[in-house]
Amino acid sequence: MVGRTKKNIIKGFIYLILSVVSIISLFPIVLMILGSFKTEIDVFSMDHIWVFKPSMEHYTDLFVAKNFLNNLKNSLILTVSSTILSIIIGLPAAYAFARYRMKRKKDIMFWILSQRMLPPVAVVIPFFLIVRFLGLLDTYIAIIFLYTLFNLPLAIWLLRGFLEEVPVEIEESSRIDGCSEFGILWRIIIPCASGGIVATGIVCMIFTWNEFLFALVLSSKNVVTAPIVAGALKLAWGYGWGQALAAGSTVILPIVVITMFLGRRLQRGLTFGAVK
Amino acid sequence: MRLNKGRIGFVLPAVVFLAIGSLFPFFYSLVRSFQNWNLNVPGDKITFTGFNNYAQLFTSFEVFGKPLVITIIFVISSITLEFIIALLLALLISSRDIKGKNFFRTCLIIPMATTPVIVGLMGKYLFSDFGIINHYLGKLGIPPQPWLGSSTMALIVVIIVEVWQWTPFMILILEAGLNDIPQTAVEAADMDGAKPWQVVLFIKLPLLKRLIVLALMLRTMDCIRIFDMIWSLTGGGPVNATETVSIAAYRIAFRYFNIGLGTAYCFMILIITILISIFYVNILTREEQGAW
């Protein structure tokens, strides 16, 4: 009996800690979303942290006066097109790395992963100069190219893990039936690994949607993305904060929704495949 | 199956892309770093200056030394804190039958997936002089702190925000690793009368080593890269107190448009990151048994 009480106390303690950690994780986000509906005076008013008169003024300012929808559209175009491109380029390569024998495969894989870890600031200066030289500053194409470049290592890395889990027997029998390598990839691998491919795509999309530095350097007017606007609003006491919080809430809304619905399926991608 | 001629087309596009992504910036920075070129001066002639830019980097501590020290402090303290907190929490929840574990995991994933610039913005909101942190501290009788106004405090805030966002990453990895440890090993030690801390220290941690190194590597590299969160949280200030190498390089290249010095700077950052990743990869390959 004594053992059981002790066990219950431990369990209660664990639940307490987990609740505290969950609250800490969500608290800043909740506070930002609440703040985005407060009037400029209430944003920093500590009497109105939880109870206040909601106002939509920052959202109307943002979407009507500042045309924030346009920035969201830019983000969406860049995110979707570069993700699709990296999957199209990455999938055959991931298949080759998953199935074919080649020399120094492990070294090549680490080289690919290390690409993902290059400091963006070190990469962006050379690319800024070349894009400027080509006259492509502030265009979709330059940023899509760069985003594809930085998504590709992650896409290959994750896809290889998913493709390795597709049983090799199905492929072998279709190879005997005379299916071409491309046909195997297209008709067998893609349908079998579709869950993993979608998960990879979503993780790439999250990282691209969140990207800041490349967009900051390569855009100036036409292709400014939503995070840039949210990060660049001038802030002062009693001025600008409401709008910044509204922009921030809008930017993270799709991410929060996606992670709430797909949480567990994204774990593997967000931890670079370390969690199966 | 070998990777023969007919199949090389599978990897070729990706390899070309990746080669452009890594080799081009590397060699371009290398060449430019020996030149003098300022975009702010219209029609500035690009001239060869030898090691002049590198000399500039190392003669004044303020240019490269200080940001490097700040980066090192930031990386080491964030990662140590993340690791300790994550290990404790992972030990607490792993292989226990807890209701709502999935809800808890979802709560943890949300910060990781949140846009870093917005995370910085939230930090700035919470830690501002009239913000909620000072408000709650006031209720505990602690006077308001100038979180983002003092040099030491600002660096601490940057570390707190980083730990808030990325501890979950370590928790997820370590918890998955702990769950994979065969129960028999733990039970055998229990039978032999091992105390709980001995089980953790001598059984669980050694079995987790590969995963720990991996998690530390991913976090170290990511912390060195960090730009956006600090950019929106402190902008590198007050008075460069939170200026990491990424922010310093950005300022030189895109505020002062000193391309020569900027590329020399980036070349140094590249070399440092490559050395650190070689260090980690070496440990990993020594530990390597599984597919990772």
Side-chain angles (χ1 to χ4, degrees), chain A residues 139-154:
Chain A
T139 57
Y140 286 125
I141 187 152
I143 303 181
I144 289 174
F145 177 79
L146 229 65
Y147 279 177
T148 308
L149 216 61
F150 110 116
N151 267 332
L152 196 56
L154 180 66

Side-chain angles (χ1 to χ4, degrees), chain A residues 135-185:
Chain A
L136 290 175
L137 281 179
D138 206 23
T139 57
Y140 286 125
I141 187 152
I143 303 181
I144 289 174
F145 177 79
L146 229 65
Y147 279 177
T148 308
L149 216 61
F150 110 116
N151 267 332
L152 196 56
L154 180 66
I156 296 178
W157 183 263
L158 293 177
L159 286 171
R160 186 194 69 147
F162 286 116
L163 296 191
E164 271 174 349
E165 284 164 17
V166 175
V168 79
E169 288 78 14
I170 319 173
E171 285 169 63
E172 256 143 31
S173 62
S174 39
R175 196 166 278 132
I176 292 165
D177 291 345
C179 199
S180 69
E181 290 299 302
F182 183 77
I184 290 173
L185 182 64

Side-chain angles (χ1 to χ4, degrees), chain A residues 22-94:
Chain A
S22 305
I23 290 172
I24 293 175
S25 288
L26 299 181
F27 180 72
I29 298 174
V30 172
L31 211 62
M32 174 172 75
I33 296 173
L34 288 179
S36 72
F37 290 107
K38 290 176 188 172
T39 59
E40 206 61 72
I41 309 156
D42 282 349
V43 168
F44 280 102
S45 156
M46 290 308 145
D47 301 325
H48 299 97
I49 297 176
W50 307 110
V51 186
F52 57 92
K53 208 164 147 248
S55 125
M56 291 296 288
E57 56 175 310
H58 305 305
Y59 286 95
T60 32
D61 278 356
L62 208 56
F63 282 94
V64 179
K66 289 232 160 104
N67 204 2
F68 193 52
L69 206 58
N70 197 36
N71 304 111
L72 289 169
K73 189 195 81 191
N74 286 338
S75 280
L76 193 67
I77 291 175
L78 296 172
T79 303
V80 171
S81 38
S82 67
T83 302
I84 291 175
L85 263 178
S86 10
I87 300 277
I88 291 177
I89 301 172
L91 196 61

Side-chain angles (χ1 to χ4, degrees), chain A residues 10-11 13-15 17-18 21-22 24-29 31-32 35 38 43-44 46 49-50 89 92-93 95-97 99-103 106 110-130 132 145 148-150 152-153 156-157 160 164 172 175 181-182 185 206-207 209-213 216-217 227 230-231 235 237 241 244-245 247-249 251-252 255-256 259-260 263-264 267 270-276, chain B residues 1-3 7 9-11 13-15 17-26 28-29 32 37 39 89 92-93 96-118 121-122 124-126 128-132 135-136 164 166 168-169 171-173 176 211 214 217-218 221 224-225 227-228 231-232 245-247 249-250 253-254 257 259 262-263 266-267 269-270 273-274 277 281 284-285 288-292:
Chain A
I10 293 177
K11 214 155 201 187
F13 176 69
I14 291 176
Y15 279 117
I17 297 224
L18 292 191
V21 172
S22 305
I24 293 175
S25 288
L26 299 181
F27 180 72
I29 298 174
L31 211 62
M32 174 172 75
K38 290 176 188 172
V43 168
F44 280 102
M46 290 308 145
I49 297 176
W50 307 110
I89 301 172
Y95 177 66
F97 286 122
R99 285 292 192 262
Y100 301 148
R101 263 182 292 132
M102 55 183 97
K103 282 178 200 153
K106 207 166 253 175
F110 271 124
W111 175 66
I112 289 177
L113 184 68
S114 71
Q115 298 262 301
R116 190 64 214 318
M117 306 192 177
L118 291 179
V121 77
V123 178
V124 81
I125 299 175
F127 277 109
F128 164 75
L129 293 169
I130 205 88
R132 179 174 169 271
F145 177 79
T148 308
L149 216 61
F150 110 116
L152 196 56
I156 296 178
W157 183 263
R160 186 194 69 147
E164 271 174 349
E172 256 143 31
R175 196 166 278 132
E181 290 299 302
F182 183 77
L185 182 64
I206 291 177
F207 280 122
W209 180 265
N210 288 348
E211 205 285 330
F212 182 71
L213 183 60
L216 180 69
V217 170
L235 300 173
W237 303 125
W241 269 102
L245 297 179
S249 307
V251 170
I252 68 164
I255 289 174
V256 172
T259 37
M260 283 213 296
R264 292 217 59 187
Q267 259 185 55
L270 288 171
T271 54
F272 287 59
V275 175
K276 287 270 150 66
Chain B
M1 265 164 300
R2 294 202 59 81
L3 181 70
R7 292 162 183 160
F10 277 51
V11 276
V15 168
F17 243 84
L18 292 174
I20 295 174
S22 62
L23 301 179
F24 166 72
F26 190 84
Y28 193 92
S29 303
R32 286 277 180 242
W37 185 18
L39 286 181
L89 280 169
L92 207 61
I93 58 173
R96 254 184 240 265
D97 163 44
I98 290 168
K99 283 193 199 101
K101 229 183 204 177
N102 281 336
F103 172 77
F104 176 63
R105 286 211 189 93
T106 308
C107 290
L108 287 182
I109 292 177
I110 289 177
M112 277 168 62
T114 303
T115 319
V117 198
I118 311 299
L121 183 73
M122 294 191 286
K124 200 172 171 177
Y125 180 47
L126 264 66
S128 70
D129 288 356
F130 309 105
I132 197 153
H135 171 70
Y136 282 134
W164 173 81
W166 288 106
F169 178 85
I171 299 179
L172 292 181
I173 293 186
L211 220 47
L214 181 71
M217 170 175 94
L218 293 171
M221 307 305 280
I224 298 174
R225 288 157 40 99
F227 176 86
D228 16 7
W231 181 255
S232 64
V245 280
S246 287
I247 291 185
Y250 177 86
F254 295 108
F257 287 105
I259 298 299
T263 44
C266 290
F267 195 72
I269 301 179
L270 275 180
T273 5
I274 290 168
S277 72
V281 167
L284 270 181
T285 28
E288 192 87 353
Q289 273 129 30
W292 223 100

Side-chain angles (χ1 to χ4, degrees), chain B residues 157-176:
Chain B
V157 172
V158 171
I159 293 168
I160 293 176
V161 175
E162 156 71 29
V163 169
W164 173 81
Q165 189 176 17
W166 288 106
T167 306
F169 178 85
M170 288 238 195
I171 299 179
L172 292 181
I173 293 186
L174 295 181
E175 199 228 333

Side-chain angles (χ1 to χ4, degrees), chain A residues 91 163 166 182-195 197:
Chain A
L91 196 61
L163 296 191
V166 175
F182 183 77
I184 290 173
L185 182 64
W186 184 250
R187 296 211 188 88
I188 314 237
I189 297 290
I190 293 184
C192 283
S194 55
I197 296 171

